[in-house]
Amino acid sequence: MESITGAVTDLLGLGTQVLNFITGNDLLLVLFSGSLVGVACYVVRKVKRTAKA
């Protein structure tokens, strides 16, 4: 089990490094935020369609 725990820890560390890199660069932050807004709009649209059915 320790190998799975170590792998998850390494993945979380890598994710933290990537997010720190993105937040340190204004252009990447805008692109990242824009993609999150797009995904959120898609999810809201799907929920609305499902609620109508």
Side-chain angles (χ1 to χ4, degrees), residues 2-52:
E2 286 188 30
S3 62
I4 294 174
T5 304
V8 170
T9 302
D10 290 344
L11 264 170
L12 290 174
L14 180 63
T16 301
Q17 287 178 351
V18 169
L19 284 176
N20 285 338
F21 180 75
I22 289 173
T23 55
N25 186 324
D26 293 338
L27 178 61
L28 288 177
L29 185 61
V30 168
L31 293 174
F32 182 73
S33 299
S35 66
L36 287 180
V37 169
V39 169
C41 290
Y42 175 77
V43 169
V44 168
R45 191 176 312 131
K46 285 290 189 178
V47 169
K48 281 185 176 181
R49 284 185 187 164
T50 303
K52 285 183 181 180

